Amino acid sequence: MNSTAETIQAGIKYQLFVRSKSQNWLAKQLGWSINKLSRRMTGKTSFDIDELDAIVGTFGIEFDDLLNVPMMKTEGIASNTASLDVEKVA
């Protein structure tokens, strides 16, 4: 089972995917270095609540939207999430 941190990371990747945006784009929108975002997306550093608030604000979504991610096949995902294969869950 995924941890909350992994679920949030997946939620961010999904939000980037549906918008055809990259992590570089998100870092730029937030005024962060790509290294700062990368450390959080790999779990080396945890997101704090203010950072998550900035992310959901950038996407124009609610926090719960990061936790409700459709099932995804993750084999061969490129670092920019361009190859995510999203499956609809019945």
Side-chain angles (χ1 to χ4, degrees):
M1 181 174 239
N2 285 347
S3 70
T4 302
E6 291 170 326
T7 301
I8 289 169
Q9 292 160 356
I12 293 168
K13 287 180 182 180
Y14 176 75
Q15 293 298 324
L16 290 169
F17 170 74
V18 298
R19 290 167 173 75
S20 299
K21 301 293 184 184
S22 67
Q23 288 186 23
N24 284 331
W25 173 86
L26 181 58
K28 195 174 286 189
Q29 296 302 305
L30 296 168
W32 298 359
S33 70
I34 188 60
N35 289 333
K36 178 177 179 175
L37 181 59
S38 179
R39 284 190 307 272
R40 283 149 181 81
M41 293 299 293
T42 59
K44 292 180 179 163
T45 303
S46 297
F47 288 102
D48 68 32
I49 194 69
D50 292 330
E51 292 168 340
L52 291 173
D53 188 51
I55 290 168
V56 298
T58 298
F59 289 138
I61 60 173
E62 299 294 325
F63 179 74
D64 288 351
D65 295 327
L66 289 181
L67 301 176
N68 298 315
V69 181
M71 295 292 292
M72 293 181 274
K73 291 181 183 177
T74 57
E75 301 90 36
I77 292 178
S79 62
N80 68 359
T81 69
S83 65
L84 281 177
D85 184 9
V86 179
E87 296 178 352
K88 292 186 179 182
V89 179

